[in-house]
Amino acid sequence: MTTMEETTAKPHIRQTQLLIDGQWRDAQSGKTFTTFDPSTEAPITEVAYAGPEDVDLAVAAARQAFDHGPWSRMDARDRGRIMYRLAELVEQNLEELAALETWDNGKPIRDSRAADLPLVVDCLRYYAGWADKIQGQTIPIRGDYFCYSRREPVGVCGQIIPWNFPLLMVAWKWGPALAMGCTIVMKPAEQTPLTCLRLGELALEAGVPPGVINILPGFGDTGAAIVRHRDVDKIAFTGSTETGRIIMREAAETLKRVTFELGGKSPNIVFADADLDAAIDGAEFGLFFNQGQCCCAGSRLFVERKVHAEFVKRVVEKAQSRQLGDPFHPETTQGPQVDEEQFRKIMDYIERGKRAGAECVTGGQRLGDRGWYIEPTVFDHVSDDMDIAREEIFGPVMSILPFDDLDEVVERGNQTMYGLAAAVWTRDAAKAHHVAHRLRAGTVWINCYDVFDAAAPFGGFKASGIGRELGEIALANYTEPKTVTMKLG
Ligand code: NAP
Ligand code: MG
């Protein structure tokens, strides 16, 4: 453990190759790409870049492992035991994985340690527990028949994930797929391949058989080759709504099953009768956590006009008290954005907000000239039609929108193509639930924000996605139901 003054040491990088059929290999083309440290812009290491030939090999291995291998036919208790072992290995290597995540992504080490990694462990354990609890039904049908249902694994799953919670997104995808007995071809994001590769190594150590988990670092073209492949049965994708649309179109060709977790523009609604201290903490955390790089960020902060002036003053103080700096320092609460592209996109939104007439009450600038740091930024008097109130910024930029009454705020809250999350702050429990029921969002938090648990489903209405992750419901994403009917007598 570190003392409060000590900065964590960078871990040794153990894996940078592709994982195919239980073997670590270079790309067939020999190509590699560089992954960078967002806090210094310095290269960390070269990683193998999977091309279409590697996708073919990985899908063939996953197909073989699914059709003939032990995984889908293994005693479900043994499958569960291997998954529990993986969770245990993650726990044993938590410090290393947390440091690797912080290095590759830029997130503060205190978050990697206290948020990302514990959630990864919980998710793997939660789904390990499901492995031997997958059961069908007996179905009374007309006539002299015995009819029952089975829940079979969907097959080879292509899983494509983003860079904002690199390892946690792996756990959300692997957990239900492995519990059901599916096999996996995963593509981590180009910005953050390292923790996924290390988890692949731990999976082999835990006893996951060759071919069950294949990992292909690369870019969008690697993902696209997985989506197009005829031997892939299902695609699970987390990322931008734009890429989600492209994948859905491509997947139509082979009628693959698809689940999506896409963007958001979540309303965070503070009524005047709320516990303001808690609401201000929740507004800060709900937006600035993870440098604002959260699909469920509370990026439209609706504040009832009666408390608006006081709220803005206090939330600005909170924003200004955030500790920006070296993500490896234990007191840092805000690191850099993940890369230059994201940095530029966010700075452009800040300029658009100013030009549209919103009032930038704090922040709005880059911090320093090395690393992709952006000051915590708060815009007040934002109106619904401004780009900063309509589009996903994915950065540390808060937009405050005053409102006057309940019906108005519900209507404005729902006026978006997204529907991922929402929050309501009030001491009136009945009002809280009325509003929660009327908001068109997959998750509504009341008097809290960003409360995640492996048992609680998460996902979006409308353009925020298709299907839900986490909880029992996510097993359905990896299931093909089968009906078996036998004539009696
Ligand atoms: P993205 O393009 O949607 O990337 C997500 C994943 O999809 C990455 O692994 C990406 O590969 C891959 N990909 C890209 N094009 C593909 C294609 N045609 N077929 C298959 N896979 C493909 O997101 P991004 O460019 O990293 O970020 C852009 C914006 O998306 C952000 O500013 C933010 O608004 C949103 N976003 C949302 C989430 C979320 O949690 N919902 C997460 C991240 C970003 P590469 O590694 O080459 O990109
Ligand atoms: Mg990186």
Side-chain angles (χ1 to χ4, degrees):
M1 292 299 291
T2 56
T3 66
M4 287 312 269
E5 292 75 42
E6 228 179 301
T7 295
T8 309
K10 305 254 190 321
H12 170 62
I13 294 167
R14 301 169 52 102
Q15 269 315 329
T16 59
Q17 289 176 293
L18 315 178
L19 176 59
I20 298 177
D21 207 11
Q23 306 286 322
W24 295 98
R25 308 180 186 182
D26 290 331
Q28 297 286 302
S29 67
K31 279 196 200 162
T32 61
F33 65 96
T34 312
T35 185
F36 293 90
D37 174 347
S39 70
T40 60
E41 303 167 43
I44 300 175
T45 186
E46 289 291 304
V47 175
Y49 182 161
E53 323 76 47
D54 304 299
V55 171
D56 283 345
L57 289 173
V59 173
R63 191 79 257 166
Q64 170 74 21
F66 183 78
D67 292 346
H68 307 290
W71 192 246
S72 56
R73 300 169 193 191
M74 186 184 278
D75 185 322
R77 285 154 205 81
D78 294 334
R79 224 169 41 232
R81 200 171 300 134
I82 291 171
M83 292 178 68
Y84 279 121
R85 175 88 185 113
L86 177 58
E88 204 175 292
L89 287 172
V90 172
E91 223 162 30
Q92 284 167 13
N93 294 278
L94 193 141
E95 280 299 313
E96 179 203 338
L97 286 161
L100 200 56
E101 195 78 314
T102 287
W103 198 5
D104 215 8
N105 167 282
K107 63 177 70 202
I109 188 71
R110 61 194 286 165
D111 290 347
S112 299
R113 271 191 195 127
D116 296 57
L117 263 296
L119 287 168
V120 168
V121 174
D122 279 353
C123 180
L124 292 172
R125 278 212 178 107
Y126 173 80
Y127 283 108
W130 270 113
D132 61 0
K133 296 168 193 70
I134 311 293
Q135 47 194 33
Q137 296 174 316
T138 56
I139 305 167
I141 63 171
R142 185 184 295 123
D144 199 13
Y145 298 99
F146 169 43
C147 178
Y148 64 96
S149 66
R150 286 168 53 78
R151 293 166 66 196
E152 298 191 354
V154 72
V156 174
C157 301
Q159 302 186 322
I160 300 169
I161 55 169
W163 42 261
N164 52 343
F165 293 91
L167 201 57
L168 187 57
M169 292 301 100
V170 177
W172 285 22
K173 298 278 181 291
W174 287 8
L178 292 176
M180 281 304 303
C182 294
T183 60
I184 293 166
V185 177
M186 165 156 276
K187 193 199 91 67
E190 77 205 34
Q191 295 89 341
T192 54
L194 297 178
T195 46
C196 180
L197 293 170
R198 179 71 179 112
L199 196 69
E201 203 174 37
L202 295 176
L204 296 179
E205 192 181 330
V208 174
V212 173
I213 294 173
N214 304 275
I215 304 175
L216 302 178
F219 287 66
D221 58 328
T222 313
I226 297 171
V227 172
R228 277 196 293 268
H229 206 292
R230 299 208 160 262
D231 279 336
V232 173
D233 298 294
K234 182 225 156 52
I235 296 290
F237 171 77
T238 299
S240 62
T241 297
E242 194 186 334
T243 303
R245 279 195 194 100
I246 296 171
I247 292 179
M248 191 150 180
R249 232 176 269 135
E250 290 281 339
E253 202 54 45
T254 44
L255 285 168
K256 285 185 178 62
R257 287 86 185 95
V258 288
T259 43
F260 292 126
E261 207 262 273
L262 309 171
K265 195 72 193 174
S266 300
N268 187 6
I269 301 172
V270 181
F271 286 100
D273 62 358
D275 171 346
L276 275 198
D277 292 338
I280 287 160
D281 285 352
E284 184 223 354
F285 177 65
L287 189 283
F288 292 114
F289 174 61
N290 209 39
Q291 296 65 249
Q293 301 167 141
C294 295
C295 48
C296 54
S299 51
R300 287 184 299 147
L301 183 58
F302 289 99
V303 180
E304 192 167 348
R305 210 175 299 274
K306 284 180 236 169
V307 291
H308 171 251
E310 182 190 351
F311 191 95
V312 173
K313 181 173 156 283
R314 290 179 56 194
V315 93
V316 163
E317 284 165 14
K318 272 261 160 198
Q320 289 168 344
S321 73
R322 293 183 65 74
Q323 295 291 314
L324 267 68
D326 178 1
F328 275 100
H329 194 282
E331 283 178 16
T332 295
T333 56
Q334 186 169 321
Q337 309 309 126
V338 78
D339 66 9
E340 182 172 4
E341 188 184 331
Q342 290 299 312
F343 169 84
R344 289 196 186 286
K345 182 182 150 192
I346 297 160
M347 293 308 289
D348 181 53
Y349 273 115
I350 291 173
E351 289 315 308
R352 279 149 77 181
K354 288 177 183 166
R355 275 204 306 275
E359 186 189 343
C360 183
V361 279
T362 189
Q365 305 294 329
R366 180 177 190 174
L367 187 82
D369 55 10
R370 208 171 61 117
W372 307 115
Y373 290 93
I374 298 179
E375 292 174 350
T377 300
V378 178
F379 277 104
D380 192 14
H381 299 295
V382 175
S383 58
D384 297 3
D385 57 351
M386 292 178 185
D387 291 349
I388 57 169
R390 294 172 55 245
E391 296 171 20
E392 188 171 47
I393 300 175
F394 231 62
V397 182
M398 179 183 279
S399 296
I400 299 177
L401 304 96
F403 75 92
D404 292 297
D405 79 71
L406 189 150
D407 288 333
E408 171 209 331
V409 79
V410 168
E411 170 144 0
R412 290 171 64 194
N414 284 334
Q415 259 168 29
T416 165
M417 70 167 180
Y418 295 115
L420 191 57
V424 187
W425 300 82
T426 173
R427 286 196 173 93
D428 179 339
K431 178 159 93 179
H433 290 288
H434 283 307
V435 173
H437 296 187
R438 288 172 61 188
L439 289 168
R440 304 258 301 145
T443 291
V444 182
W445 288 294
I446 299 175
N447 296 337
C448 57
Y449 211 97
D450 275 349
V451 176
F452 281 93
D453 190 288
F458 180 78
F461 282 34
K462 303 192 272 181
S464 287
I466 296 180
R468 295 291 178 272
E469 298 196 275
L470 302 180
E472 180 181 2
I473 200 169
L475 294 165
N477 303 340
Y478 295 93
T479 305
E480 280 289 6
K482 179 179 282 181
T483 307
V484 182
T485 306
M486 182 186 182
K487 191 170 191 321
L488 297 175

